[in-house]
Amino acid sequence: MKPYPGRRLALPALCLPAAAQAHSFGKIYNLPVPFWLYVYGAAAALLVSFVVVAYFASAAPETQERDGGRNIGDANWVRLLRRCHVLTLLKAGSAGCLLLCIASGLFGAANPYTNINMTLFWIIFVLVFTYLTALFGEVYVAINPWRLLARGVGRLWPNYLQGRRSYPPRLAWWPALLLYFAFIWIELFAFTRPYSLALILSAYTLLNLAAVWWVGEQAWFRHGELFAVFLHLVAKMAPLDYRPELQGAARLRLRAPFAGLLESTAPHGTMLLFVLFMLSSTAFDGLHDTAPWMRLFWIDLYGRLKPWVGDNPLAAYPILRPWYEAWATLCLAASPFLYAGVYLLFIRLSKFAAGSVLTVRELGLRFAYTLLPIALVYNITHYYTLVLSQGSKILSLVSDPLGLDWNLFGTALWLRAPIIPNAGTVWHTQVGLIVFGHVVSVYLAHLEALRCFPGRRAAALSQLPMLLLMVLFTTFGLWILSQPIRPG
Amino acid sequence: MNKRALPFVALAVVMLVGLFIWLRPPAPEPVRQVPASPAPAAAAAAPVPPPEQVYRYQVAGGRRLSGPESILVHAGEVVNLEVTSDRADELHLHGYDLHLQLQPGQPGQLRFTAVHSGRFDFELHHADLELGVLQVLPQ
């Protein structure tokens, strides 16, 4: 960690407990990636990108890889699952988990580490379930607890699920984007506790029920419910394509991993912003824990504000704290638009390089999903140690969900010490995953380019700016991982 | 995966491995004074005990008066935290999940071998004070 002048100034501010919280819940026991490994990751991403370009340039796969995958909805193991009523069990489990999160928050212990709802929601649902969705597809569409609740209401109240009016097309995916922003803000700044989490989840449940009443079930869960939109995007990367609305064997399809990203394109600019926010919010989460970020506000900006707030940092802290929060919120809100500006600039260069007649907007939408692998690996590298250290606690928590010293299933004492993988292992996995996600994105973007632009040459040329963009995103992700985390 | 892609995959793997070997820093940390014993785990009772430093903290009125905000050690070293608080409190080291009850005005010592690498906060529960952070580099 490099000492920097004036660091002394920031110390009183950083020592106050509220400022020292890294994440709303759970401690991340990561050390910054060493510099040489950061350089390795960036160089590896660049080198392998050119191998991908060379592969496509040497001889393009003429058979437009419209491999539709294989329908396996009638396979024996799928039938076996159906016979065991797995879906019904999952539905019950999902609705039960939501109710448990609310009930345990209202009636259980106030300590976030002994009440199950913090771990169940922040770790198991938000992180683990996302990674499972990337593997097993969009099971969430069938077991979404809020959708199940809405359907329950629909049984008692005819015409409830149809909605009062049709969904205004102008709204597009704005509701999901706004809710996603609110969600990330709560995750980073609200310091939820079991009780407040229960209140937030109750409010979100009411919001969903009201929205279904207003615009109807189909429209709301397509455009509004944030986890439905988020997991729908994540599921495009899964090798299993689950579509419960279809009949027979087509309900479940096996395809190449990540191939689903090329089966459709972003339907609207707000969806592009949603995808970019997946990238930028994780980057922001990483960035706002680092020393350079804290330095920006608490040293650089504070230095300029001194004439107004005074020389004593302890006295200035209470005045500056709300400003710091407003500033961080503003940066978070601006981040997807900043990313969109950079993204569209590179799309414009791409269009120019390929001499395409398609508009920048159209191309921007077509290439949007190819960024999702980078977003997924960002997320995994950032949180997987948290999944190990805090997620493993779920075993003991199920036996004592309210934190009242129960032992319902006899597992209350299991895995009490957190699992902390060796820092060297963590570094190598992080860099390896980031390079992997980068390569997948570059590869997919090239396939998409072959569809958008006439001829191999134009496609290859168009990909040089895109490649630079992805190297930028990847290097930025690596840089964040390599930064010293702010002191204490 | 088609056959034509294989040489490219092989090329990529060779490049990645070559780059890794080229960039990897030489030798694992010559800084350690401990001679490379065959079993560095359970080093507490090793024939040559690693140098042991005591990190002293003074806490009064819910604030840290003295002591480093960050401690940097290598895995396997013995860490000794000595905390003196003006009030009764509980010291908690995250990750290792070690707790120590502190009596007012009396120095309390938490001594342990840093087996896990990573970044661990330690705090005083009653004062709700993040006292410092322990960074353990891998061996």
Side-chain angles (χ1 to χ4, degrees):
Chain A
M1 203 181 287
K2 255 187 306 186
Y4 39 86
R7 173 156 154 192
R8 223 162 19 88
L9 284 181
L11 294 187
L14 297 179
C15 290
L16 294 178
Q21 289 272 7
H23 190 259
S24 82
F25 174 63
K27 299 272 176 190
I28 299 186
Y29 303 117
N30 286 355
L31 286 172
V33 169
F35 183 73
W36 73 269
L37 205 53
Y38 157 59
V39 172
Y40 170 79
L46 192 66
L47 276 178
V48 178
S49 308
F50 280 105
V51 176
V52 173
V53 173
Y55 164 68
F56 281 108
S58 69
E62 286 306 328
T63 48
Q64 264 291 31
E65 288 173 39
R66 273 283 176 188
D67 177 17
R70 197 151 53 87
N71 290 333
I72 53 164
D74 281 340
N76 282 334
W77 62 272
V78 181
R79 282 176 197 213
L80 184 69
L81 288 180
R82 210 173 297 150
R83 221 172 300 137
C84 301
H85 301 286
V86 168
L87 204 57
T88 318
L89 290 175
L90 287 175
K91 282 180 182 172
S94 148
C97 281
L98 175 64
L99 296 180
L100 176 64
C101 278
I102 294 175
S104 69
L106 294 179
F107 307 115
N111 181 341
Y113 294 93
T114 55
N115 193 316
I116 196 173
N117 80 342
M118 295 290 279
T119 304
L120 189 56
F121 179 75
W122 289 113
I123 312 287
I124 302 299
F125 176 61
V126 174
L127 302 176
V128 176
F129 190 69
T130 300
Y131 308 150
L132 289 178
T133 299
L135 276 179
F136 297 109
E138 201 180 3
V139 182
Y140 187 68
V141 81
I143 66 166
N144 183 339
W146 291 287
R147 195 188 271 260
L148 295 176
L149 270 178
R151 286 192 178 157
V153 174
R155 279 198 190 174
L156 305 172
W157 182 359
N159 295 332
Y160 165 72
L161 294 175
Q162 272 81 49
R164 298 306 98 185
R165 55 165 296 174
S166 61
Y167 187 77
R170 278 222 329 261
L171 279 183
W173 275 267
W174 281 114
L177 187 62
L178 288 177
L179 286 171
Y180 192 16
F181 175 75
F183 168 74
I184 297 289
W185 191 89
I186 289 169
E187 184 183 356
L188 299 185
F189 302 116
F191 308 121
T192 48
R193 299 250 139 195
Y195 187 73
S196 50
L197 177 63
L199 294 186
I200 291 168
L201 287 176
S202 311
Y204 187 58
T205 305
L206 291 179
L207 175 84
N208 277 317
L209 292 178
V212 169
W213 172 80
W214 185 245
V215 294
E217 182 206 352
Q218 293 302 329
W220 179 251
F221 287 102
R222 190 168 134 78
H223 298 95
E225 205 270 288
L226 109 93
F227 300 108
V229 176
F230 179 83
L231 293 169
H232 175 72
L233 290 175
V234 170
K236 288 181 183 298
M237 293 178 262
L240 283 173
D241 182 20
Y242 175 59
R243 279 185 289 186
E245 75 277 9
L246 298 181
Q247 291 302 312
R251 286 161 62 108
L252 194 65
R253 195 163 56 97
L254 193 66
R255 63 188 174 196
F258 300 101
L261 293 173
L262 294 181
E263 286 168 3
S264 54
T265 60
H268 191 268
T270 45
M271 189 60 116
L272 169 64
L273 283 174
F274 195 97
V275 171
L276 291 170
F277 195 52
M278 285 169 77
L279 274 173
S280 71
S281 63
T282 314
F284 182 87
D285 185 12
L287 185 68
H288 95 296
D289 281 343
T290 63
W293 168 262
M294 290 312 270
R295 194 160 55 213
L296 188 67
F297 187 88
W298 290 111
I299 308 253
D300 298 353
L301 208 62
Y302 173 64
R304 291 187 192 186
L305 292 175
K306 260 188 203 162
W308 291 280
V309 294
D311 257 344
N312 180 358
L314 268 183
Y317 177 77
I319 307 171
L320 287 178
R321 177 83 202 160
W323 287 101
Y324 170 73
E325 271 164 14
W327 145 261
T329 304
L330 190 73
C331 288
L332 179 66
S335 66
F337 297 95
L338 188 75
Y339 270 51
V342 175
Y343 174 73
L344 291 175
L345 176 77
F346 279 90
I347 288 287
R348 190 178 287 273
L349 289 175
S350 224
K351 170 183 155 72
F352 176 73
S356 171
V357 289
L358 293 168
T359 62
V360 172
R361 184 193 148 78
E362 173 66 24
L363 287 172
L365 293 179
R366 285 201 190 187
F367 283 97
Y369 288 168
T370 62
L371 296 175
L372 283 169
I374 294 185
L376 179 70
V377 295
Y378 256 33
N379 190 298
I380 297 176
T381 52
H382 202 83
Y383 296 117
Y384 91 92
T385 51
L386 184 61
V387 168
L388 291 178
S389 62
Q390 188 59 39
S392 55
K393 295 279 174 69
I394 197 72
L395 275 180
S396 54
L397 285 168
V398 287
S399 274
D400 184 18
L402 303 186
L404 301 175
D405 289 334
W406 295 349
N407 197 349
L408 296 178
F409 308 105
T411 61
L413 294 175
W414 289 20
L415 292 179
R416 290 310 284 249
I419 301 169
I420 302 162
N422 180 284
T425 316
V426 173
W427 292 334
H428 290 94
T429 329
Q430 283 180 326
V431 173
L433 270 171
I434 285 214
V435 172
F436 169 76
H438 173 84
V439 172
V440 172
S441 279
V442 168
Y443 181 84
L444 291 177
H446 213 121
L447 279 180
E448 186 62 42
L450 286 169
R451 288 191 203 161
C452 291
F453 306 121
R456 231 162 55 198
R457 204 184 120 75
L461 282 175
S462 81
Q463 283 315 285
L464 293 179
M466 284 301 281
L467 203 146
L468 194 62
L469 172 75
M470 289 180 176
V471 168
L472 256 173
F473 280 155
T474 298
T475 314
F476 186 53
L478 283 167
W479 179 81
I480 291 171
L481 288 180
S482 75
Q483 283 312 294
I485 298 161
R486 66 174 124 157
Chain B
M1 183 60 82
N2 50 5
K3 279 206 180 90
R4 213 174 52 75
L6 282 179
F8 290 93
V9 172
L11 175 69
V13 169
V14 168
M15 282 164 88
L16 290 181
V17 172
L19 190 68
F20 186 81
I21 292 169
W22 182 50
L23 283 174
R24 194 172 51 166
E29 287 298 318
V31 195
R32 291 179 51 78
Q33 292 98 329
V34 191
S37 54
V48 185
E52 183 183 323
Q53 203 186 333
V54 182
Y55 301 92
R56 290 195 172 81
Y57 288 85
Q58 284 280 345
V59 177
R63 289 232 180 84
R64 183 186 65 201
L65 299 181
S66 67
E69 65 177 321
S70 134
I71 298 172
L72 190 68
V73 297
H74 285 87
E77 289 177 16
V78 174
V79 179
N80 202 336
L81 295 177
E82 186 186 297
V83 182
T84 315
S85 168
D86 60 337
R87 285 174 226 162
D89 214 319
E90 186 188 358
L91 175 71
H92 177 208
L93 173 66
H94 280 269
Y96 285 71
D97 257 342
L98 296 172
H99 297 261
L100 177 71
Q101 298 299 331
L102 299 171
Q103 303 300 325
Q106 286 182 23
Q109 282 209 347
L110 188 64
R111 190 173 174 280
F112 58 95
T113 309
V115 281
H116 303 292
S117 49
R119 186 178 191 282
F120 310 95
D121 297 358
F122 47 97
E123 57 176 4
L124 292 186
H125 270 180
H126 299 303
D128 211 7
L129 170 72
E130 306 246 349
L131 201 55
V133 58
L134 170 72
Q135 302 197 65
V136 184
L137 296 176
Q139 275 171 332

